[in-house]
């Protein structure tokens, strides 16, 4: 996959995840307060797209270090997480998604949960692939 | 042995089915010839030139513009470049990273690793890394 195609896909996936997070947040507000209408800024959709795009860029870090050793890869993943965390926090502050610590806390939790969920999903898919590949290898392996 | 040949129109549909009571060395040689179009690759072992059978190759690695061919216990150097060997060694071989081609039949098992890459254990106990972008090619070769 070319880098630009990868960034486009990542932007869409991250935007979907952010919208899902906002949806859950609004649902909780509706359940707690019973408000049927929630007011948001006019630039919210654009801010989500821009934030998603900026969050997709650190993925290049992981792509460039694809053949790095295990420790370096773990370091890159940690750096990737903190880059995304800071990007979302900074964009949230700029676009006024939160105004105080109380409003920031659910966003911080959401970032960690979404990041963790995406990695868990990737691990699950990788384990499935591992099983399929090992089954297929048994049929063609040399006997030594 | 009776041999039947049927001419077809499409090169992509070419295949051979062998009905044998026992897999003897001549039959194994015939299979190698059909699968790889080339049984041996000229390599150097220090001073001597040796012909390395493709069936004994575990993997080929390119380091500092030198190409090394690894068998179960030995390592040779070849004048071929990696991209040239990629064309010569088809069917059972695939590129698993920027600088390595591996023989699928020598892979004992794979294990999912960080960042969707795979760690492959070969039949001689060696471990190699299959980069994320090349896992798809392995699955394609295995028909998954």
């Amino acid at each position: 996959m070319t880098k630009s195609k990868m960034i486009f896909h990542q932007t869409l996936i991250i935007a979907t995840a952010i919208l899902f997070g906002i949806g859950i947040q609004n649902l909780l507000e509706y359940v707690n307060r019973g408000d049927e209408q929630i007011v948001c800024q006019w630039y919210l959709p654009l801010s989500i797209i821009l934030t998603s795009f900026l969050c997709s860029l650190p993925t290049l870090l992981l792509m460039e270090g694809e053949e790095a050793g295990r420790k370096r890869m773990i370091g890159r993943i940690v750096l990737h997480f903190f880059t995304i965390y800071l990007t979302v926090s900074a964009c949230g502050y700029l676009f006024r998604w939160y105004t105080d610590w109380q409003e920031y806390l659910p966003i911080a939790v959401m970032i960690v949960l979404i990041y963790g969920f995406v990695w868990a999903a990737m691990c699950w898919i990788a384990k499935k692939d591992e099983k399929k590949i090992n089954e297929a290898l048994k049929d063609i392996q040399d006997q030594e | 042995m009776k041999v039947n040949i049927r001419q077809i129109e499409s090169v992509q549909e070419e295949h051979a089915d062998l009905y044998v009571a026992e897999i003897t060395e001549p039959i194994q040689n015939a299979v190698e010839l059909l699968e790889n179009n080339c049984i041996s690759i000229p390599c150097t072992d220090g001073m001597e030139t040796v012909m390395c059978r493709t069936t004994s190759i575990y993997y080929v690695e390119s380091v500092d513009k030198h190409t090394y061919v690894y068998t179960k216990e030995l390592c040779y150097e070849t004048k071929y470049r990696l991209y040239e060997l990629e064309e010569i060694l088809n069917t059972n071989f695939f590129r698993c990273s920027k600088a390595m081609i591996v023989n699928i039949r020598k892979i004992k098992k794979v294990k999912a690793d960080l960042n969707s890459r795979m760690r492959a254990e070969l039949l001689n106990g060696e471990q190699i890394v299959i980069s994320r972008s090349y896992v798809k090619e392995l699955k394609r070769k295995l028909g998954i």
Side-chain angles (χ1 to χ4, degrees):
Chain A
M1 193 187 276
T2 60
K3 285 182 183 171
S4 51
K5 201 173 172 184
M6 187 275 302
I7 288 171
F8 177 71
H9 277 159
Q10 289 272 308
T11 302
L12 290 179
I13 290 168
I14 295 167
T16 305
I18 293 175
L19 283 169
F20 179 73
I22 292 172
I24 296 293
Q25 201 174 3
N26 290 349
L27 174 66
L28 291 172
E29 285 212 15
Y30 169 73
V31 167
N32 284 335
R33 295 185 202 165
D35 291 338
E36 289 207 359
Q37 280 188 337
I38 290 171
V39 179
C40 64
Q41 300 95 334
W42 64 268
Y43 51 77
L44 180 66
L46 290 173
S47 67
I48 291 172
I49 296 288
L50 179 64
T51 306
S52 305
F53 171 72
L54 292 174
C55 285
S56 70
L57 297 178
T59 308
L60 293 172
L61 252 179
L62 297 177
M63 277 181 77
E64 293 301 319
E66 230 179 35
E67 293 169 29
R70 198 175 172 81
K71 281 184 183 171
R72 286 191 78 179
M73 184 53 79
I74 291 172
R76 280 176 188 259
I77 291 169
V78 171
L79 183 62
H80 180 252
F81 169 73
F82 279 110
T83 310
I84 286 178
Y85 186 90
L86 290 171
T87 303
V88 177
S89 298
C91 288
Y93 178 76
L94 280 170
F95 297 122
R96 297 182 189 279
W97 294 346
Y98 58 88
T99 51
D100 57 29
W101 285 103
Q102 273 187 324
E103 289 179 356
Y104 175 66
L105 198 57
I107 291 174
V109 169
M110 215 187 309
I111 296 168
V112 174
L113 285 176
I114 291 173
Y115 195 87
F117 174 77
V118 169
W119 272 99
M122 278 171 57
C123 286
W124 181 73
I125 291 169
K127 278 290 175 190
K128 280 190 80 176
D129 279 347
E130 176 190 312
K131 200 174 172 185
K132 279 186 207 169
I133 290 170
N134 283 331
E135 282 295 319
L137 282 172
K138 280 180 193 166
D139 293 335
I140 63 164
Q141 241 166 33
D142 279 348
Q143 300 301 321
E144 286 193 12
Chain B
M1 177 184 283
K2 188 179 169 190
V3 177
N4 294 322
I5 297 175
R6 196 170 16 157
Q7 198 155 354
I8 57 173
E9 287 176 6
S10 168
V11 174
Q12 285 165 348
E13 288 175 10
E14 284 183 345
H15 69 278
D17 294 321
L18 299 177
Y19 298 87
V20 297
E22 189 188 343
I23 302 175
T24 59
E25 196 176 331
I27 289 172
Q28 189 65 39
N29 291 341
V31 169
E32 286 167 27
L33 185 63
L34 287 168
E35 283 184 339
N36 291 311
N37 297 324
C38 165
I39 298 176
S40 300
I41 289 171
C43 301
T44 54
D45 175 16
M47 302 294 285
E48 285 181 1
T49 299
V50 296
M51 295 304 286
C52 192
R53 292 166 70 94
T54 53
T55 50
S56 66
I57 295 175
Y58 272 57
Y59 62 96
V60 181
E61 189 177 24
S62 173
V63 178
D64 293 334
K65 294 187 182 176
H66 291 271
T67 310
Y68 298 97
V69 173
Y70 292 83
T71 60
K72 188 176 179 180
E73 288 164 358
L74 300 171
C75 171
Y76 304 102
E77 187 173 350
T78 178
K79 62 175 172 56
Y80 287 106
R81 304 293 291 274
L82 209 66
Y83 73 90
E84 290 170 326
L85 286 172
E86 211 176 352
E87 287 174 22
I88 295 168
L89 303 167
N90 52 21
T91 311
N92 292 328
F93 289 81
F94 84 105
R95 188 181 280 254
C96 64
S97 69
K98 281 182 193 161
M100 197 182 284
I101 297 169
V102 70
N103 185 344
I104 297 174
R105 295 171 81 110
K106 303 297 183 188
I107 298 177
K108 186 176 175 184
K109 61 181 178 182
V110 298
K111 192 168 165 52
D113 199 9
L114 294 170
N115 200 25
S116 300
R117 56 186 196 183
M118 295 262 172
R119 194 164 286 273
E121 185 184 331
L122 304 182
L123 292 173
N124 63 352
E126 278 195 70
Q127 294 209 356
I128 57 153
V129 173
I130 302 171
S131 301
R132 177 166 75 167
S133 39
Y134 295 102
V135 170
K136 200 174 174 183
E137 177 61 14
L138 173 61
K139 286 164 71 177
R140 190 190 69 79
K141 286 265 181 180
L142 291 171
I144 299 169

